[in-house]
């Protein structure tokens, strides 16, 4: 999903209260509120496909896969975002005082689009890296069979790897996801 337009400025508390009443999703960054644009059929398909494959791979491990409707605190009081899919392991922890703002994502997935790619590789990635719970960040291309995988190493550094047709993504929690399974049928649908 892309950032469509800036709505107006508000505090984080105002945003959270206001956002809960809105029919459409909005993100928040340092006082600015952004309406989220809809994705292409291929974008939506890939979001669901990666979520389904993650769910199958973490079933029975105590991890949970959440959809793009889950608000994430990328930095308390400063940045709230929605990813295309999220995995949480070890129990869901929310931001203090909130019941619907995820504070401990383990895996975050963003399906790229022309309108979000720069942010997904820049500001969002920068914010996600600050989350101590995050172990894996996946960027899924809607244009090619290609998943970019950033995985946190034991020393806190990030390892980058590109996965393509025939590859298996090995997450830090031991789960494995087939790239071919994610993309099966995706290119039959239009993209942005």
């Amino acid at each position: 999903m892309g950032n469509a337009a800036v709505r107006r400025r508000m505090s984080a508390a105002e945003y959270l209260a206001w956002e809960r009443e809105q029919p459409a999703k909005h993100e928040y960054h340092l006082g600015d509120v952004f309406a989220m644009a809809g994705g292409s059929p291929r974008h939506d398909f890939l979001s669901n496909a990666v979520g389904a494959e993650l769910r199958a791979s973490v079933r029975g491990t105590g991890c949970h896969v959440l959809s793009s409707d889950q608000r994430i605190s990328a930095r308390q009081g400063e940045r709230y975002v929605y990813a295309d899919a999220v995995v949480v392991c070890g129990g869901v922890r929310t931001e203090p005082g909130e019941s619907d703002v995820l504070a401990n994502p383990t895996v975050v997935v963003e399906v790229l689009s022309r309108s979000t790619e720069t942010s997904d590789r820049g500001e969002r990635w920068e914010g996600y890296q600050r989350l101590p719970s995050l172990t894996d960040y996946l960027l899924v291309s809607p244009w090619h069979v290609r998943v970019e995988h950033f995985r946190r190493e034991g020393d806190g550094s990030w390892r980058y790897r590109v996965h393509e047709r025939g590859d298996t993504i090995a997450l830090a929690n031991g789960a494995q996801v087939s790239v071919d399974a994610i993309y099966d049928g995706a290119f039959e649908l239009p993209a942005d």
Side-chain angles (χ1 to χ4, degrees):
M1 290 189 183
N3 293 337
V6 176
R7 183 187 172 277
R8 65 181 172 106
R9 293 192 56 82
M10 56 179 79
S11 72
E14 290 170 329
Y15 159 77
L16 290 171
W18 175 84
E19 175 69 355
R20 291 180 183 112
E21 304 298 320
Q22 301 308 303
K25 293 186 283 191
H26 300 78
E27 293 190 341
Y28 178 88
H29 186 229
L30 295 173
D32 290 324
V33 177
F34 300 88
M36 300 301 295
S40 70
R42 189 179 304 164
H43 183 282
D44 292 343
F45 175 90
L46 288 168
S47 295
N48 287 323
V50 74
E53 295 303 320
L54 285 167
R55 170 74 173 105
S57 71
V58 302
R59 185 175 287 124
T61 66
C63 297
H64 296 86
V65 178
L66 307 175
S67 75
S68 62
D69 288 332
Q70 179 58 61
R71 186 180 311 107
I72 300 169
S73 175
R75 183 167 251 189
Q76 185 176 348
E78 293 182 16
R79 184 155 186 121
Y80 299 98
V81 299
Y82 294 90
D84 290 306
V86 181
V87 177
V88 180
C89 298
V92 170
R93 195 177 78 244
T94 58
E95 188 172 88
E98 306 296 338
S99 63
D100 60 353
V101 181
L102 182 66
N104 65 325
T106 305
V107 180
V108 171
V109 179
E110 296 288 2
V111 177
L112 299 173
S113 70
R114 302 215 188 281
S115 63
T116 65
E117 184 173 10
T118 299
S119 176
D120 291 339
R121 295 180 184 286
E123 288 178 14
R124 278 178 181 263
W125 173 221
E126 204 174 292
Y128 289 144
Q129 289 179 68
R130 294 185 181 128
L131 298 171
S133 61
L134 191 72
T135 60
D136 298 89
Y137 181 54
L138 303 177
L139 295 174
V140 179
S141 172
W143 310 292
H144 319 285
V145 176
R146 178 184 170 97
V147 178
E148 296 174 74
H149 180 195
F150 295 86
R151 179 172 160 173
R152 192 185 306 258
E153 298 297 309
D155 64 0
S157 65
W158 290 92
R159 182 187 73 179
Y160 173 79
R161 183 162 180 203
V162 174
H163 299 280
E164 296 177 318
R165 195 175 308 279
D167 289 344
T168 298
I169 303 164
L171 300 176
N173 65 11
Q176 297 193 11
V177 179
S178 163
V179 172
D180 292 345
I182 292 170
Y183 282 93
D184 185 25
F187 293 103
E188 298 167 12
L189 300 168
D192 65 346

